[in-house]
Amino acid sequence: VQLQASGGGVVHPGGSLRLSCAASGFSFRRNRMGWFRQALGKQREFVAAVSADDGTNYAESVKGRFTVSRDNAKNTVNLQMNSLKPEDTPVYYCNLPLDLGSSYVRFPWGRGTLVTVSS
């Protein structure tokens, strides 16, 4: 299984970024996928997830600002992040959550992507 997130960068508060995660090694289209983030010194936390039939779930802190989507043809899951805040700063990862809102995941963590929101 490979999970490789990309698209991070440096952005000012209020700005936008679009993250993408390429997944391989399992039946992508049949499984839910999620985004998670981890700040330095903190536990990894759930951000957003999309089910196999495009149902979605979001952490309260990102509702209304982030949008998760999937492209089954490309085996990718995306995270559109708008109205970014400094607290959105950490490293973002994708994985298969055990439930649509769970922080527990099925696979070992792959490569994350760093988002820095700073003025």
Side-chain angles (χ1 to χ4, degrees), residues 70-92:
R70 63 190 300 152
D71 185 339
N72 289 336
K74 296 181 180 179
N75 279 17
T76 58
V77 57
N78 306 302
L79 187 68
Q80 177 66 43
M81 306 188 297
N82 299 327
S83 302
L84 283 163
K85 304 176 181 180
E87 52 263 42
D88 296 320
T89 278
V91 180
Y92 285 72

PDB file of all heavy atoms in Angstrom, residues 70-92:
ATOM      1  N   ARG A  70     -13.131  12.744  -4.160  1.00  0.00           N
ATOM      2  CA  ARG A  70     -12.326  11.624  -4.639  1.00  0.00           C
ATOM      3  C   ARG A  70     -12.447  11.503  -6.143  1.00  0.00           C
ATOM      4  O   ARG A  70     -13.451  11.896  -6.727  1.00  0.00           O
ATOM      5  CB  ARG A  70     -12.770  10.329  -3.959  1.00  0.00           C
ATOM      6  CG  ARG A  70     -14.185   9.894  -4.253  1.00  0.00           C
ATOM      7  CD  ARG A  70     -14.615   8.742  -3.338  1.00  0.00           C
ATOM      8  NE  ARG A  70     -13.738   7.582  -3.526  1.00  0.00           N
ATOM      9  CZ  ARG A  70     -13.507   6.676  -2.563  1.00  0.00           C
ATOM     10  NH1 ARG A  70     -14.063   6.809  -1.383  1.00  0.00           N
ATOM     11  NH2 ARG A  70     -12.728   5.647  -2.808  1.00  0.00           N
ATOM     12  N   ASP A  71     -11.406  10.952  -6.754  1.00  0.00           N
ATOM     13  CA  ASP A  71     -11.404  10.661  -8.184  1.00  0.00           C
ATOM     14  C   ASP A  71     -11.024   9.199  -8.331  1.00  0.00           C
ATOM     15  O   ASP A  71      -9.851   8.838  -8.273  1.00  0.00           O
ATOM     16  CB  ASP A  71     -10.395  11.569  -8.898  1.00  0.00           C
ATOM     17  CG  ASP A  71     -10.428  11.392 -10.406  1.00  0.00           C
ATOM     18  OD1 ASP A  71     -10.900  10.341 -10.884  1.00  0.00           O
ATOM     19  OD2 ASP A  71      -9.967  12.286 -11.114  1.00  0.00           O
ATOM     20  N   ASN A  72     -12.028   8.358  -8.511  1.00  0.00           N
ATOM     21  CA  ASN A  72     -11.767   6.915  -8.571  1.00  0.00           C
ATOM     22  C   ASN A  72     -10.984   6.519  -9.820  1.00  0.00           C
ATOM     23  O   ASN A  72     -10.288   5.509  -9.825  1.00  0.00           O
ATOM     24  CB  ASN A  72     -13.081   6.141  -8.514  1.00  0.00           C
ATOM     25  CG  ASN A  72     -13.719   6.196  -7.140  1.00  0.00           C
ATOM     26  OD1 ASN A  72     -13.048   6.406  -6.135  1.00  0.00           O
ATOM     27  ND2 ASN A  72     -15.030   6.016  -7.095  1.00  0.00           N
ATOM     28  N   ALA A  73     -11.084   7.295 -10.876  1.00  0.00           N
ATOM     29  CA  ALA A  73     -10.341   6.985 -12.096  1.00  0.00           C
ATOM     30  C   ALA A  73      -8.832   7.160 -11.888  1.00  0.00           C
ATOM     31  O   ALA A  73      -8.027   6.487 -12.531  1.00  0.00           O
ATOM     32  CB  ALA A  73     -10.813   7.877 -13.239  1.00  0.00           C
ATOM     33  N   LYS A  74      -8.475   8.081 -10.991  1.00  0.00           N
ATOM     34  CA  LYS A  74      -7.057   8.353 -10.742  1.00  0.00           C
ATOM     35  C   LYS A  74      -6.579   7.818  -9.399  1.00  0.00           C
ATOM     36  O   LYS A  74      -5.412   7.990  -9.045  1.00  0.00           O
ATOM     37  CB  LYS A  74      -6.814   9.861 -10.785  1.00  0.00           C
ATOM     38  CG  LYS A  74      -7.082  10.489 -12.136  1.00  0.00           C
ATOM     39  CD  LYS A  74      -6.805  11.986 -12.099  1.00  0.00           C
ATOM     40  CE  LYS A  74      -7.068  12.618 -13.457  1.00  0.00           C
ATOM     41  NZ  LYS A  74      -6.819  14.092 -13.428  1.00  0.00           N
ATOM     42  N   ASN A  75      -7.478   7.185  -8.640  1.00  0.00           N
ATOM     43  CA  ASN A  75      -7.134   6.700  -7.300  1.00  0.00           C
ATOM     44  C   ASN A  75      -6.569   7.817  -6.428  1.00  0.00           C
ATOM     45  O   ASN A  75      -5.528   7.669  -5.772  1.00  0.00           O
ATOM     46  CB  ASN A  75      -6.131   5.534  -7.361  1.00  0.00           C
ATOM     47  CG  ASN A  75      -6.806   4.211  -7.652  1.00  0.00           C
ATOM     48  OD1 ASN A  75      -7.946   4.174  -8.109  1.00  0.00           O
ATOM     49  ND2 ASN A  75      -6.110   3.116  -7.412  1.00  0.00           N
ATOM     50  N   THR A  76      -7.238   8.945  -6.445  1.00  0.00           N
ATOM     51  CA  THR A  76      -6.784  10.059  -5.624  1.00  0.00           C
ATOM     52  C   THR A  76      -7.928  10.596  -4.767  1.00  0.00           C
ATOM     53  O   THR A  76      -9.100  10.521  -5.137  1.00  0.00           O
ATOM     54  CB  THR A  76      -6.241  11.217  -6.475  1.00  0.00           C
ATOM     55  OG1 THR A  76      -7.264  11.656  -7.378  1.00  0.00           O
ATOM     56  CG2 THR A  76      -5.012  10.806  -7.263  1.00  0.00           C
ATOM     57  N   VAL A  77      -7.559  11.130  -3.627  1.00  0.00           N
ATOM     58  CA  VAL A  77      -8.497  11.828  -2.755  1.00  0.00           C
ATOM     59  C   VAL A  77      -7.948  13.233  -2.568  1.00  0.00           C
ATOM     60  O   VAL A  77      -6.740  13.412  -2.387  1.00  0.00           O
ATOM     61  CB  VAL A  77      -8.690  11.094  -1.417  1.00  0.00           C
ATOM     62  CG1 VAL A  77      -7.388  10.890  -0.686  1.00  0.00           C
ATOM     63  CG2 VAL A  77      -9.711  11.804  -0.548  1.00  0.00           C
ATOM     64  N   ASN A  78      -8.814  14.211  -2.666  1.00  0.00           N
ATOM     65  CA  ASN A  78      -8.409  15.618  -2.648  1.00  0.00           C
ATOM     66  C   ASN A  78      -8.998  16.352  -1.450  1.00  0.00           C
ATOM     67  O   ASN A  78     -10.033  15.953  -0.911  1.00  0.00           O
ATOM     68  CB  ASN A  78      -8.857  16.295  -3.937  1.00  0.00           C
ATOM     69  CG  ASN A  78      -8.372  15.570  -5.172  1.00  0.00           C
ATOM     70  OD1 ASN A  78      -7.172  15.380  -5.353  1.00  0.00           O
ATOM     71  ND2 ASN A  78      -9.290  15.140  -6.020  1.00  0.00           N
ATOM     72  N   LEU A  79      -8.330  17.421  -1.070  1.00  0.00           N
ATOM     73  CA  LEU A  79      -8.828  18.263   0.011  1.00  0.00           C
ATOM     74  C   LEU A  79      -8.654  19.716  -0.400  1.00  0.00           C
ATOM     75  O   LEU A  79      -7.531  20.212  -0.472  1.00  0.00           O
ATOM     76  CB  LEU A  79      -8.077  17.986   1.317  1.00  0.00           C
ATOM     77  CG  LEU A  79      -8.629  18.694   2.544  1.00  0.00           C
ATOM     78  CD1 LEU A  79     -10.008  18.130   2.904  1.00  0.00           C
ATOM     79  CD2 LEU A  79      -7.676  18.545   3.733  1.00  0.00           C
ATOM     80  N   GLN A  80      -9.761  20.358  -0.705  1.00  0.00           N
ATOM     81  CA  GLN A  80      -9.742  21.784  -1.013  1.00  0.00           C
ATOM     82  C   GLN A  80      -9.875  22.553   0.299  1.00  0.00           C
ATOM     83  O   GLN A  80     -10.859  22.380   1.020  1.00  0.00           O
ATOM     84  CB  GLN A  80     -10.897  22.145  -1.953  1.00  0.00           C
ATOM     85  CG  GLN A  80     -10.988  23.626  -2.278  1.00  0.00           C
ATOM     86  CD  GLN A  80      -9.811  24.120  -3.078  1.00  0.00           C
ATOM     87  OE1 GLN A  80      -9.364  23.463  -4.011  1.00  0.00           O
ATOM     88  NE2 GLN A  80      -9.289  25.293  -2.706  1.00  0.00           N
ATOM     89  N   MET A  81      -8.895  23.376   0.590  1.00  0.00           N
ATOM     90  CA  MET A  81      -8.864  24.097   1.854  1.00  0.00           C
ATOM     91  C   MET A  81      -8.966  25.596   1.574  1.00  0.00           C
ATOM     92  O   MET A  81      -8.093  26.170   0.919  1.00  0.00           O
ATOM     93  CB  MET A  81      -7.574  23.787   2.615  1.00  0.00           C
ATOM     94  CG  MET A  81      -7.327  22.303   2.819  1.00  0.00           C
ATOM     95  SD  MET A  81      -5.929  21.955   3.909  1.00  0.00           S
ATOM     96  CE  MET A  81      -4.598  22.667   2.948  1.00  0.00           C
ATOM     97  N   ASN A  82     -10.022  26.196   2.064  1.00  0.00           N
ATOM     98  CA  ASN A  82     -10.238  27.637   1.898  1.00  0.00           C
ATOM     99  C   ASN A  82     -10.246  28.318   3.254  1.00  0.00           C
ATOM    100  O   ASN A  82     -10.374  27.683   4.291  1.00  0.00           O
ATOM    101  CB  ASN A  82     -11.563  27.884   1.182  1.00  0.00           C
ATOM    102  CG  ASN A  82     -11.602  27.273  -0.202  1.00  0.00           C
ATOM    103  OD1 ASN A  82     -10.595  27.202  -0.897  1.00  0.00           O
ATOM    104  ND2 ASN A  82     -12.783  26.822  -0.608  1.00  0.00           N
ATOM    105  N   SER A  83     -10.127  29.631   3.233  1.00  0.00           N
ATOM    106  CA  SER A  83     -10.152  30.430   4.469  1.00  0.00           C
ATOM    107  C   SER A  83      -9.204  29.862   5.513  1.00  0.00           C
ATOM    108  O   SER A  83      -9.568  29.663   6.672  1.00  0.00           O
ATOM    109  CB  SER A  83     -11.579  30.485   5.024  1.00  0.00           C
ATOM    110  OG  SER A  83     -12.474  31.027   4.078  1.00  0.00           O
ATOM    111  N   LEU A  84      -7.996  29.597   5.099  1.00  0.00           N
ATOM    112  CA  LEU A  84      -7.033  28.950   5.984  1.00  0.00           C
ATOM    113  C   LEU A  84      -6.660  29.834   7.172  1.00  0.00           C
ATOM    114  O   LEU A  84      -6.572  31.058   7.062  1.00  0.00           O
ATOM    115  CB  LEU A  84      -5.789  28.552   5.205  1.00  0.00           C
ATOM    116  CG  LEU A  84      -5.977  27.290   4.343  1.00  0.00           C
ATOM    117  CD1 LEU A  84      -4.896  27.175   3.290  1.00  0.00           C
ATOM    118  CD2 LEU A  84      -5.988  26.053   5.233  1.00  0.00           C
ATOM    119  N   LYS A  85      -6.437  29.170   8.293  1.00  0.00           N
ATOM    120  CA  LYS A  85      -6.069  29.833   9.542  1.00  0.00           C
ATOM    121  C   LYS A  85      -4.710  29.330   9.998  1.00  0.00           C
ATOM    122  O   LYS A  85      -4.301  28.225   9.625  1.00  0.00           O
ATOM    123  CB  LYS A  85      -7.109  29.519  10.619  1.00  0.00           C
ATOM    124  CG  LYS A  85      -8.531  29.885  10.252  1.00  0.00           C
ATOM    125  CD  LYS A  85      -9.494  29.435  11.339  1.00  0.00           C
ATOM    126  CE  LYS A  85     -10.929  29.767  10.980  1.00  0.00           C
ATOM    127  NZ  LYS A  85     -11.883  29.321  12.040  1.00  0.00           N
ATOM    128  N   PRO A  86      -4.014  30.060  10.833  1.00  0.00           N
ATOM    129  CA  PRO A  86      -2.715  29.588  11.336  1.00  0.00           C
ATOM    130  C   PRO A  86      -2.798  28.213  12.000  1.00  0.00           C
ATOM    131  O   PRO A  86      -1.860  27.419  11.887  1.00  0.00           O
ATOM    132  CB  PRO A  86      -2.322  30.676  12.341  1.00  0.00           C
ATOM    133  CG  PRO A  86      -2.958  31.905  11.801  1.00  0.00           C
ATOM    134  CD  PRO A  86      -4.276  31.442  11.235  1.00  0.00           C
ATOM    135  N   GLU A  87      -3.912  27.923  12.644  1.00  0.00           N
ATOM    136  CA  GLU A  87      -4.042  26.617  13.312  1.00  0.00           C
ATOM    137  C   GLU A  87      -4.231  25.464  12.328  1.00  0.00           C
ATOM    138  O   GLU A  87      -4.247  24.302  12.715  1.00  0.00           O
ATOM    139  CB  GLU A  87      -5.196  26.633  14.325  1.00  0.00           C
ATOM    140  CG  GLU A  87      -6.508  27.111  13.762  1.00  0.00           C
ATOM    141  CD  GLU A  87      -6.751  28.584  14.056  1.00  0.00           C
ATOM    142  OE1 GLU A  87      -5.790  29.386  13.937  1.00  0.00           O
ATOM    143  OE2 GLU A  87      -7.897  28.940  14.384  1.00  0.00           O
ATOM    144  N   ASP A  88      -4.387  25.751  11.025  1.00  0.00           N
ATOM    145  CA  ASP A  88      -4.465  24.704  10.007  1.00  0.00           C
ATOM    146  C   ASP A  88      -3.090  24.268   9.537  1.00  0.00           C
ATOM    147  O   ASP A  88      -2.970  23.502   8.589  1.00  0.00           O
ATOM    148  CB  ASP A  88      -5.257  25.207   8.792  1.00  0.00           C
ATOM    149  CG  ASP A  88      -6.700  25.509   9.115  1.00  0.00           C
ATOM    150  OD1 ASP A  88      -7.300  24.722   9.891  1.00  0.00           O
ATOM    151  OD2 ASP A  88      -7.230  26.508   8.600  1.00  0.00           O
ATOM    152  N   THR A  89      -2.081  24.729  10.176  1.00  0.00           N
ATOM    153  CA  THR A  89      -0.698  24.622   9.722  1.00  0.00           C
ATOM    154  C   THR A  89      -0.043  23.256   9.570  1.00  0.00           C
ATOM    155  O   THR A  89       0.864  23.169   8.754  1.00  0.00           O
ATOM    156  CB  THR A  89       0.189  25.533  10.595  1.00  0.00           C
ATOM    157  OG1 THR A  89       0.079  26.845  10.088  1.00  0.00           O
ATOM    158  CG2 THR A  89       1.652  25.168  10.559  1.00  0.00           C
ATOM    159  N   PRO A  90      -0.422  22.168  10.325  1.00  0.00           N
ATOM    160  CA  PRO A  90       0.487  21.008  10.381  1.00  0.00           C
ATOM    161  C   PRO A  90       0.638  20.179   9.106  1.00  0.00           C
ATOM    162  O   PRO A  90       0.193  20.568   8.047  1.00  0.00           O
ATOM    163  CB  PRO A  90      -0.149  20.150  11.475  1.00  0.00           C
ATOM    164  CG  PRO A  90      -1.570  20.500  11.440  1.00  0.00           C
ATOM    165  CD  PRO A  90      -1.607  21.966  11.139  1.00  0.00           C
ATOM    166  N   VAL A  91       1.265  19.018   9.283  1.00  0.00           N
ATOM    167  CA  VAL A  91       1.469  18.084   8.190  1.00  0.00           C
ATOM    168  C   VAL A  91       0.174  17.312   7.965  1.00  0.00           C
ATOM    169  O   VAL A  91      -0.446  16.837   8.911  1.00  0.00           O
ATOM    170  CB  VAL A  91       2.627  17.108   8.496  1.00  0.00           C
ATOM    171  CG1 VAL A  91       2.811  16.142   7.334  1.00  0.00           C
ATOM    172  CG2 VAL A  91       3.905  17.888   8.756  1.00  0.00           C
ATOM    173  N   TYR A  92      -0.219  17.168   6.702  1.00  0.00           N
ATOM    174  CA  TYR A  92      -1.451  16.486   6.330  1.00  0.00           C
ATOM    175  C   TYR A  92      -1.125  15.132   5.706  1.00  0.00           C
ATOM    176  O   TYR A  92      -0.193  15.018   4.892  1.00  0.00           O
ATOM    177  CB  TYR A  92      -2.255  17.341   5.353  1.00  0.00           C
ATOM    178  CG  TYR A  92      -2.947  18.504   6.015  1.00  0.00           C
ATOM    179  CD1 TYR A  92      -2.204  19.595   6.463  1.00  0.00           C
ATOM    180  CD2 TYR A  92      -4.318  18.504   6.222  1.00  0.00           C
ATOM    181  CE1 TYR A  92      -2.828  20.671   7.097  1.00  0.00           C
ATOM    182  CE2 TYR A  92      -4.953  19.567   6.845  1.00  0.00           C
ATOM    183  CZ  TYR A  92      -4.204  20.642   7.284  1.00  0.00           C
ATOM    184  OH  TYR A  92      -4.814  21.697   7.916  1.00  0.00           O
TER     185      TYR A  92
END
